[in-house]
Amino acid sequence: MKEGERSGRISAELWEVLRRHRWRIAAAVALLLVAKLATVAVPLLLKRIIDALSTASLPASLPLYLLVGYALLRFSSTLFNEWRDLLFVRVTLAAVSAYAQKTFSHLHALGPRFHARRKLGSLLPDIDRGTGGIAFLLGVGLFTIVPTLVEIGLVLAIMLNRYAAGFAGIILVTFLVYAGFTLVFTARRVFYQRRVNKLDSTAKGRLADSLINYDTVKYFGGEAREARRFAAIMGDWVDAGAANQRALFTLHVGQSAIIALGVAAIMVLAGQAVLARQMSVGDLVLINAYALQVCLPLNALGFTYREARDAWVNAERLFELLRERPEIDDPPGSPALQPGPGEIVFEHVSFHYEAARPVLVDVSLRIAPGTTLAVVGRSGSGKSTLARLLLRYYDPANGRILVDGQDIRLCSAASVRQAIGVVPQDTALFNDTIGSNIAYGRSGSTLEEVVAACRAAHLHEVIEALPGGYDAPVGERGVNLSGGEKQRIAIARAVLKDPPILIFDEATSALDVDSEHAITQELDRLSQHRTTLVIAHRLSTIVNADTIVVMDRGRIVEQGTHGELLRRKGAYARLWLLQQRMEEDAAR
């Protein structure tokens, strides 16, 4: 996407946020303007005080009304600014919250392709920097750039009205030179800031990936290797940060030099006017105060512009993330899948992840309501893809999938998944309690329902024996539980969900023989009176299936019962004999 188009989209998004809070923003801007008027009036009052106290004949008493008024003006400037911030804070917080929620929901809406290639460690900093950048951009335009321009305009108007045009001319030239210098050198610095951000995200991604794979690092003695890889990334980050700081040094020194020259020119001109008796000492103080009042905001404006550019770069990545399109995007008003007995039909289904590598080729099969169909085959034969298509993670390239006569492509993906329970090979658990992880199977379930599901999964006694029972923490990724216990949690979730259709995706392949036998019995009980698709690796777990389908290179090569397939002495029989020999060798 072109730079201008990208900037336009970000601006439109920010404008929409401001439009939603226009009344609160209008009140904040009004307070801002009152605060700026008070700020600009302070030097005028200070001039009157100095002139009153520096006359040849001193006044009989202190001009208290001027001194009190001076103090009140200074206080009112701070009061109105703080009041403005109090009003506007809800706008920035609401915007950050809205974009955090929008990003969270969007990430869940994105498909498996995105999540397969994303790096969580670098994704989270992008989101954090992006939301922070949005908050900064919302406040900077209204409360730094606008008030600075208003203040400069008021000062120029007063200077033109009271003094020679040369003073206002110097201020205007200083502002224009400063603004031009800042724009040019800040634009150059954006390259370095983007590189720093990219390397920062890469470093955090590398750190997270290494810690997630802590066991693998230990298995292969890779600590030093990981440290070297991380050190190389951090070395590049240091170099990029130093280059960024050099660019910032040039910018700061140049800005300060421009301001110093402007102030010096104003003070020389004012000093000459005082010596020539054309201005009073109070006028000199007033001009000096206005010169500083313009130049200090200029410095703040330069800093704000730099920070705004950095915030813009940070927000770019967040908006790029929000522009990622889900692979399954239901049109508005898509009908829900209507409940039925659970018949599943694949009609001439073809699918590929990459065009040059077909995964399924003209697959047709039917799973009758209340029956179990098992799919076996070598790795890469397309077994698990059947389950992903049924769950609508993807839609077929050709053909269609029917559930109770309804084309699931025309139904909302959420309603299709609601009708299906899954017991995966690797059960993913939240870093929460056992009870909460099981209750995730059905929103709003009670503790009694969770306990009943655990009894059905033969898990209740195991949980009761744990310190804390159902409140026992499972640890990150379930590290506090064994493989068999995690699988039983997955079964309990499926029992609690009580769906008409079940998918067992190699649910026992990672277990030992004893655990596999126990889990298989529970899976058999769970699948009774439900339509079940079993993706199997170990053939011993699916001998009782109503139908067994053998796949090879994305095609169905055989199907029938266990006995029928053995009698044919084809691909299934060869797989069966091979696994029997391997089990016999392992038992010796």
Side-chain angles (χ1 to χ4, degrees):
M1 183 181 292
K2 295 180 180 178
E3 186 75 25
E5 184 181 350
R6 183 165 50 194
S7 298
R9 289 200 177 192
I10 296 175
S11 299
E13 289 270 358
L14 296 177
W15 176 253
E16 179 60 26
V17 173
L18 293 174
R19 191 187 65 78
R20 288 198 298 269
H21 299 275
R22 54 188 177 276
W23 297 115
R24 185 176 288 270
I25 291 170
V29 169
L31 289 170
L32 178 151
L33 293 174
V34 173
K36 280 303 169 188
L37 287 172
T39 302
V40 170
V42 165
L44 288 171
L45 199 55
L46 183 61
K47 170 192 164 7
R48 290 193 61 186
I49 293 170
I50 291 172
D51 286 344
L53 295 174
S54 60
T55 55
S57 57
L58 289 174
S61 62
L62 284 173
L64 284 177
Y65 73 98
L66 291 176
L67 295 172
V68 172
Y70 177 79
L72 287 175
L73 274 178
R74 283 202 170 276
F75 172 73
S76 64
S77 174
T78 301
L79 174 65
F80 288 123
N81 277 324
E82 291 299 324
W83 197 356
R84 173 208 70 191
D85 290 342
L86 188 62
L87 269 176
F88 194 74
V89 70
R90 185 164 289 276
V91 178
T92 54
L93 292 177
V96 169
S97 174
Y99 274 100
Q101 293 174 57
K102 185 177 181 180
T103 306
F104 182 83
S105 299
H106 185 70
L107 287 172
H108 278 291
L110 294 176
R113 278 196 181 96
F114 171 83
H115 287 283
R117 71 175 186 267
R118 65 108 169 105
K119 293 181 179 179
L120 186 62
S122 56
L123 184 64
L124 295 180
D126 284 342
I127 296 170
D128 186 48
R129 285 197 296 262
T131 52
I134 288 169
F136 185 85
L137 290 170
L138 286 173
V140 70
L142 284 174
F143 301 140
T144 304
I145 296 175
V146 170
T148 300
L149 295 176
V150 168
E151 190 168 355
I152 291 171
L154 289 172
V155 168
L156 287 174
I158 293 170
M159 297 289 281
L160 284 170
N161 183 57
R162 298 175 66 97
Y163 303 105
F167 292 104
I170 292 172
I171 290 174
L172 183 60
V173 169
T174 302
F175 170 73
L176 293 175
V177 173
Y178 184 96
F181 178 85
T182 300
L183 287 171
V184 171
F185 278 84
T186 303
R188 291 182 182 179
R189 214 185 120 253
V190 167
F191 167 78
Y192 298 106
Q193 186 61 41
R194 283 186 177 141
R195 178 160 172 75
V196 168
N197 285 355
K198 183 177 180 181
L199 288 168
D200 181 59
S201 295
T202 301
K204 288 182 170 64
R206 182 69 242 161
L207 178 65
D209 194 38
S210 186
L211 292 177
I212 288 170
N213 291 283
Y214 169 84
D215 289 336
T216 304
V217 174
K218 289 295 182 184
Y219 294 156
F220 295 97
E223 294 92 339
R225 192 186 327 164
E226 290 297 307
R228 284 194 300 271
R229 291 172 69 180
F230 189 70
I233 297 171
M234 294 307 295
D236 290 341
W237 178 79
V238 168
D239 292 341
N244 189 34
Q245 190 61 38
R246 284 195 295 273
L248 196 61
F249 169 82
T250 303
L251 186 60
H252 282 171
V253 171
Q255 288 171 330
S256 297
I258 291 168
I259 289 174
L261 288 172
V263 171
I266 289 172
M267 293 308 294
V268 167
L269 191 61
Q272 289 175 341
V274 171
L275 290 175
R277 299 291 188 269
Q278 295 171 349
M279 292 192 320
S280 68
V281 175
D283 290 315
L284 176 67
V285 171
L286 175 66
I287 291 171
N288 178 65
Y290 275 149
L292 292 176
Q293 201 162 307
V294 169
C295 291
L296 288 179
L298 266 185
N299 214 10
L301 192 62
F303 169 79
T304 300
Y305 182 72
R306 294 192 306 271
E307 292 298 307
R309 289 293 297 180
D310 292 347
W312 197 276
V313 170
N314 293 338
E316 281 176 352
R317 178 63 193 126
L318 181 64
F319 285 111
E320 284 173 13
L321 185 62
L322 290 171
R323 282 194 294 272
E324 290 273 355
R325 299 315 312 153
E327 289 165 64
I328 301 296
D329 196 4
D330 294 327
S334 295
L337 181 72
Q338 296 302 307
E343 180 190 48
I344 300 172
V345 178
F346 284 71
E347 286 186 353
H348 304 289
V349 171
S350 297
F351 178 76
H352 56 262
Y353 296 105
E354 300 172 8
R357 297 177 60 190
V359 178
L360 296 178
V361 181
D362 196 28
V363 171
S364 293
L365 56 86
R366 175 179 179 270
I367 312 176
T371 65
T372 297
L373 181 140
V375 184
V376 300
R378 294 181 299 180
S379 295
S381 61
K383 304 187 301 294
S384 293
T385 302
L386 291 174
R388 294 190 182 106
L389 290 176
L390 182 57
L391 285 162
R392 281 207 73 198
Y393 286 174
Y394 308 95
D395 284 331
N398 294 299
R400 59 179 188 162
I401 302 171
L402 306 176
V403 173
D404 294 320
Q406 304 163 78
D407 188 341
I408 63 173
R409 197 194 323 239
L410 305 178
C411 302
S412 67
S415 67
V416 172
R417 292 167 194 156
Q418 188 60 38
I420 302 172
V422 183
V423 180
Q425 176 183 358
D426 184 17
T427 302
L429 300 178
F430 295 100
N431 191 359
D432 205 335
T433 65
I434 290 179
S436 295
N437 272 283
I438 296 168
Y440 201 81
R442 179 159 56 84
S443 178
S445 53
T446 64
L447 178 59
E448 290 74 18
E449 291 169 330
V450 169
V451 171
C454 291
R455 290 187 189 277
H458 293 266
L459 183 62
H460 178 69
E461 292 75 15
V462 175
I463 295 174
E464 286 290 284
L466 293 172
Y470 283 86
D471 292 326
V474 303
E476 191 164 6
R477 295 176 294 133
V479 294
N480 295 340
L481 303 175
S482 68
E485 289 167 342
K486 287 195 284 187
Q487 287 304 88
R488 289 177 190 273
I489 286 178
I491 294 169
R493 278 177 174 174
V495 171
L496 187 62
K497 188 175 184 180
D498 192 25
I501 299 171
L502 287 171
I503 296 175
F504 301 150
D505 190 359
E506 302 197 34
T508 63
S509 61
L511 303 177
D512 58 75
V513 175
D514 290 338
S515 296
E516 178 191 58
H517 180 70
I519 297 294
T520 300
Q521 288 183 322
E522 288 159 21
L523 294 177
D524 288 342
R525 282 194 293 269
L526 179 59
S527 62
Q528 288 177 4
H529 311 301
R530 289 184 172 92
T531 305
T532 306
L533 173 64
V534 180
I535 312 299
H537 173 70
R538 294 178 183 169
L539 304 187
S540 58
T541 63
I542 49 99
V543 293
N544 296 323
D546 297 289
T547 305
I548 298 172
V549 169
V550 184
M551 296 193 68
D552 186 39
R553 297 181 183 179
R555 300 177 185 271
I556 295 175
V557 294
E558 286 183 332
Q559 62 179 306
T561 65
H562 173 71
E564 290 170 349
L565 293 174
L566 286 181
R567 286 192 292 273
R568 290 179 193 171
K569 297 184 179 179
Y572 181 82
R574 288 193 297 273
L575 283 172
W576 176 262
L577 289 174
L578 179 62
Q579 287 197 9
Q580 292 296 305
R581 287 173 188 165
M582 292 174 64
E583 289 176 7
E584 289 172 3
D585 291 342
R588 290 174 184 170

